[in-house]
Amino acid sequence: MFSQEYWKPILSPTNYDLKKVCFVDSSNGWVVGDGGTIIKTTNGGDTWISQPTQISSSIINFFALNKQNLFALSLDYSLDSGSLYGTVLLHSTNSGNTWSHLQFDSTFFYSIFFLDSLHGWMGGAYGVIMRTINGGVDWDLVSDASSSHLSVLNFNFLNRSTAFAIGGFRDIAGVIWKTTNGGQRWQSTTVSGEPLAGMYCKDSLNILCVGGDVDFGASKVTTTDGGEHWTYKFLQIFGEPMALSFRTASEGWSPLGFSGTMMYTLDSGASWSSIFSPDSIPMHDVMFSDKRHGFMVGAEGRILKYNTAILDVKEHSSGSIPSNNHLLQNYPNPFNPKTDLRFGITQSGLVTL
């Protein structure tokens, strides 16, 4: 399998390293990165426009509640000394045409999520989780959030009551936080020796996380009981998983950062393989808005778009019986080391290929 067949580089208006990609539908999306970069597309990545932010520091995370209501996080630092001062929260209510700034001194936030226009959360260094109930105007520290002293890197809400946060720190531990009361209290659990960066919730019981670090490589943790127990597995793949997104229930992708590779699964995360990214450029984030629209972003302003034109995407009801025998195109193609062959027969029986 070659990444160039499935991920195509598209025109980018910047050479800055890109950190996060966020789409609210198949057409409208944003990408953020170094140098205060925010770029926007309204036509599925065919063209991009830069949006002024009035900051020069790196934007490390982004959340779009809808096409108008947007949030971004930037680490505030001195260009002269390189010292970190805190975090700047950027907020736009007009699709990113203008941004307001809210400064958090001496506090470093890496993740942000809004459940609706009023209720949101930010997570950061030392296990800090803060909550707003007025759309980001005021923020309060959540009780018991700092029971772990490791960084909160991502949020995933199953519903208004139950949510997870993931994170950790290199060479120390990977941590999962869970709330069952709408984010008012969070309980942390150490589940691995490497930080976790991406989470996929197949349903309320079956959840997959990926993580890793520079020295150790990629790993995953899974649960089949809604987070009561977690199973850890080292994947023996070189690279540092930076994010996770599933195109379908079975096909998922994770960029591996500095290694210039990406890993993928075709069986819902049971097994993983890795391939080089186009030109071996380090990639940092991935998102599928639906099964036909996916984007990956990384170093040097690189933007990749998932190429579904080569796929014969067809839906077949599991309960339907074909009227004719047929053999579909194998996927992936080319492949290494395995491929899937789908076929249909008019009645049940033994089949030899």
Side-chain angles (χ1 to χ4, degrees):
M1 180 176 180
F2 301 97
S3 62
Q4 290 84 347
E5 295 294 328
Y6 293 88
W7 292 96
K8 297 291 187 181
I10 61 176
L11 186 63
S12 171
T14 180
N15 291 322
Y16 280 112
D17 286 358
L18 301 176
K19 305 297 187 181
K20 289 292 179 180
V21 55
C22 181
F23 273 73
V24 295
D25 53 40
S26 60
S27 299
N28 295 276
W30 290 261
V31 173
V32 302
D34 287 351
T37 298
I38 297 181
I39 58 176
K40 173 187 176 181
T41 181
T42 58
N43 53 17
D46 291 341
T47 59
W48 298 84
I49 59 172
S50 297
Q51 297 190 305
T53 59
Q54 287 77 50
I55 62 173
S56 59
S57 54
S58 177
I59 298 178
I60 61 170
N61 215 322
F62 188 93
F63 182 84
L65 183 63
N66 48 49
K67 289 190 291 186
Q68 289 77 37
N69 204 356
L70 316 174
F71 300 86
L73 294 177
S74 174
L75 293 182
D76 186 24
Y77 62 92
S78 167
L79 292 176
D80 295 328
S81 66
S83 300
L84 283 171
Y85 292 145
T87 308
V88 177
L89 170 63
L90 292 84
H91 183 206
S92 175
T93 57
N94 57 12
S95 299
N97 295 321
T98 59
W99 298 87
S100 64
H101 297 174
L102 181 61
Q103 177 78 36
F104 293 85
D105 293 328
S106 303
T107 305
F108 310 117
F109 291 106
Y110 308 124
S111 54
I112 186 167
F113 179 88
F114 271 78
L115 195 59
D116 52 41
S117 61
L118 297 177
H119 299 86
W121 289 261
M122 289 193 298
Y126 306 107
V128 170
I129 298 177
M130 299 192 76
R131 181 179 63 153
T132 180
I133 58 173
N134 58 8
V137 177
D138 301 298
W139 294 84
D140 297 311
L141 183 67
V142 176
S143 61
D144 293 340
S146 58
S147 56
S148 169
H149 296 289
L150 305 180
S151 300
V152 181
L153 303 178
N154 208 344
F155 289 101
N156 199 313
F157 273 70
L158 298 180
N159 49 54
R160 298 193 71 89
S161 298
T162 304
F164 295 91
I166 59 174
F169 200 82
R170 289 177 178 176
D171 300 324
I172 298 180
V175 181
I176 295 178
W177 292 260
K178 182 178 181 180
T179 179
T180 56
N181 60 3
Q184 298 181 55
R185 296 175 66 89
W186 299 77
Q187 181 66 43
S188 64
T189 303
T190 300
V191 296
S192 67
E194 309 85 45
L196 302 175
M199 171 178 278
Y200 170 65
C201 298
K202 185 176 181 180
D203 51 47
S204 61
L205 297 178
N206 297 280
I207 301 169
L208 162 71
C209 302
V210 296
D213 59 30
V214 174
D215 298 325
F216 195 72
S219 60
K220 70 174 183 178
V221 294
T222 56
T223 181
T224 58
D225 57 11
E228 294 300 316
H229 304 88
W230 295 90
T231 300
Y232 167 86
K233 183 177 181 180
F234 173 50
L235 297 178
Q236 297 183 326
I237 293 176
F238 179 66
E240 182 182 10
M242 309 292 287
L244 175 65
S245 186
F246 271 70
R247 187 180 75 87
T248 66
S250 58
E251 180 186 336
W253 292 83
S254 177
L256 298 180
F258 75 94
S259 62
T261 58
M262 55 183 74
M263 67 179 190
Y264 66 94
T265 178
L266 301 175
D267 54 15
S268 301
S271 61
W272 293 84
S273 301
S274 66
I275 54 176
F276 283 98
S277 63
D279 301 320
S280 299
I281 296 295
M283 305 306 293
H284 301 142
D285 194 28
V286 60
M287 180 179 183
F288 286 92
S289 59
D290 57 50
K291 67 181 180 181
R292 299 194 66 86
H293 300 90
F295 293 85
M296 195 178 294
V297 300
E300 301 175 12
R302 185 61 60 96
I303 304 176
L304 307 179
K305 186 174 183 179
Y306 192 82
N307 179 26
T308 54
I310 63 173
L311 302 180
D312 182 20
V313 180
K314 296 180 179 179
E315 293 294 332
H316 296 278
S317 171
S318 59
S320 62
I321 298 177
S323 58
N324 298 294
N325 296 331
H326 61 269
L327 176 64
L328 300 178
Q329 173 67 47
N330 65 306
Y331 172 71
N333 180 23
F335 64 91
N336 181 16
K338 67 178 184 177
T339 189
D340 290 338
L341 290 162
R342 295 189 178 187
F343 60 88
I345 54 179
T346 58
Q347 60 183 15
S348 60
L350 292 176
V351 176
T352 301
L353 294 177

